[in-house]
Amino acid sequence: MISFKNVTFGYPNTETPVFENLSAEIPDSGITAVIAPSGVGKTTFLRLIAGLEKPDAGSVEITPKEARAAFVFQEQRLLPWYSALENIRAVCSVSDADAAALLTELGIGADLQGKRPSELSGGQRQRVCLARALLFNPDILLLDEPFSGLDSENRETVVEKIREFAKTRPVVLVSHINEDIKIADKVIEL
Amino acid sequence: MTTSITQAERPRNRTEYLLVALIWLALWELLALIINEEVLFVSPHKVLVALIRLGGTLPFWQTIFLSILRVLGGFVLGYLLSALLAALAFRFSFLKAFLSPAISVIKATPVASFIILALMWSGKNFVPVIICILMVAPIVWSNVLEGLAAVDGDLLEMAQVYGMSPAARIRSIYVPSLIPYNAAAVGSGLGLCWKAGIAAEVICRTLPSIGNSIWETKFYIITDEMFAWTATVVILSVIFDRLIKFFMGRLLRKYKTEVAQ
C-alpha cells in the first residue's frame, strides 16, 4: 500500500506549493491513474513515491518500506552510449536472453536490440524503457505518459504487459490522454 | 570539446600532405644554403645523416626510452592525481575552493621557475616528472570539473531509482560522459608535457636524457646532432599525439553521445 498522508510539497524558490495537505491511497495491486490539469503535479506525485522528492510536511508511506519502485520517465532517460539491450543489462540483473525475449515481445526485434537510443524511434525507446522497468522486477511500477509515441498495436501489447504486472503489484500511471486513463482500476484526481 | 582536427587544419589528402612537407624541406635546405654556416644552421639532409648515425648507437635508444618514461610517467601520474582531486573537489565544495587558487598559481607560474624550484627540492632525475605533473594538472583539473558539471542529472536520477551501485554509475554514466572532456585534456596535456619535460631535462641536465643530449651538443657545438635530437623530440611528440588521437577517437566513437530524447 502507498499512502499520501497530509503531504505538502513545493519546489525550492517557488511561491505556491505543488501539494498542500494531499492525502491519497494507492492499492496493493491494480492500475491507479493520476489525473490533473497540466502543471498541477502529476509527475511530482510519482517522484514522491519514487523517493526522488521528500515532502515538506506529511508523509508518503510505502509498505513494505524496502519496496523497490521502477520509474518509466516521460523523457525516457536511456544511456545514449549503450544499445537497447545494454541499457537493460546496466540496471537489471537479467540474462541477455530474458532481456531479448521481453524486448521482442514488445516489438523490439533482434535487429533493433543492438541499436543505440539515438537510432531508435520515440516509441521504440519508450518500449525499451518499459522493458527495463519490468525486468527490474520492482514492487511498484511508476509510469509517466507511458504510451506516448506508440501506435495502437504496440500500445495494446504494452497495456497487456502492464495489466499482467498489475495483477499482483501496484501500477501508478500519469497521463493527460483520456484513452490512457481508461485502463485504470482507480483514478486519483489532484 | 573534442580532439578532432578541423577540415581547415588537415591537408585534404596524402599527396597534398607530402607536397607541403617537401616545400618546407626545400625551404629549409635553401635557408641552409643561404646562411652557409653549419655551426648555426644545418641543412635537412645533414640532420638526417646525424639522425641515422645516432640511431645506430644503443645509448641513443636508451636515452629516448628514459625520456619517454619520464614524460609519460609524469603525464600519467599528473593525470590520475589531478583527475582524482577534481572528482573530490566536485563532491566537496570546500576542497574546490581550497585547491582552486593553487591550480591558478600553477597555471600562471613560468615553467622555468618551477624547474629551478623543483631542482632545489628534488633530484634532477625527478624534475622532468614533477614538471610534467604540474603541466598536466591544471588542464585535467578544469576539464574533469567541467565534464562532471555537465553529467546529465536525469541519468543520475534514473540510476538512483534503479539502485545502480556507485561503481556502476561511474562505469555507465560518469566515465562515458567525461570522455569528450578527457580527450581534449589528454591531447593538449601530453603536448605540453613533451615541451616542458624536455625543457626540464635541458635545464637540469638529467642523465641520460634527450634534454641533456641537446645541451651537450650545444655545449660542444655539434649542431647537426642538436638538430637531430630536436627532430627526435618532434617525431616522438607527433607519434604520441597520433596514438592519443587514435585511441581517443576510438573511445569517442564507442561512447558517442547523441542525445536520444
Side-chain angles (χ1 to χ4, degrees), chain A residues 47 50-52 69-73 75-82 90-91 116-119 125 129 132-133 136, chain B residues 153-155 157-164 168 171-174 176-177 252-261:
Chain A
R47 290 177 65 84
L52 293 173
F71 201 144
V72 176
F73 296 94
E75 321 83 16
Q76 298 168 348
R77 305 193 188 184
L78 293 167
L79 298 163
W81 32 80
Y82 283 174
V91 297
R116 293 178 179 197
S118 60
E119 299 167 305
R125 291 200 294 267
C129 289
R132 176 175 68 183
F136 185 62
Chain B
D154 281 355
L155 291 182
E157 223 171 41
M158 180 279 293
Q160 185 188 337
V161 168
Y162 285 98
M164 284 173 85
R171 190 176 58 246
S172 298
I173 299 175
Y174 283 105
S177 301
L252 282 168
R253 276 194 295 280
K254 185 177 176 192
Y255 292 109
K256 61 181 174 185
T257 55
E258 298 100 327
V259 179
Q261 287 79 22

Side-chain angles (χ1 to χ4, degrees), chain A residues 155-175:
Chain A
R155 188 180 182 284
E156 273 314 303
T157 317
V158 167
V159 167
E160 197 183 306
K161 282 285 162 199
I162 293 170
R163 282 210 171 108
E164 201 179 307
F165 180 94
K167 281 178 189 166
T168 52
R169 288 164 285 183
V171 174
V172 187
L173 161 72
V174 155
S175 177

Side-chain angles (χ1 to χ4, degrees), chain B residues 168-182:
Chain B
R169 287 179 207 204
I170 290 171
R171 190 176 58 246
S172 298
I173 299 175
Y174 283 105
V175 168
S177 301
L178 284 173
I179 280 172
Y181 296 88
N182 276 281

Side-chain angles (χ1 to χ4, degrees), chain B residues 77-97 99-100 103 136-149 174 178 181-182 185:
Chain B
L77 275 176
Y79 183 89
L80 294 176
L81 191 68
S82 41
L84 179 69
L85 284 176
L88 289 171
F90 184 77
R91 175 71 182 81
F92 304 105
S93 56
F94 173 75
L95 192 65
K96 188 179 174 186
L99 289 175
S100 289
I103 296 291
V136 81
I139 300 172
V140 174
W141 166 271
S142 54
N143 277 281
V144 169
L145 276 180
E146 200 183 332
L148 285 171
Y174 283 105
L178 284 173
Y181 296 88
N182 276 281

Side-chain angles (χ1 to χ4, degrees), chain B residues 30-44:
Chain B
L30 187 68
L31 199 61
L33 273 172
I34 293 166
I35 294 172
N36 196 25
E37 189 58 75
E38 284 189 4
V39 172
L40 291 176
F41 200 79
V42 186
S43 66

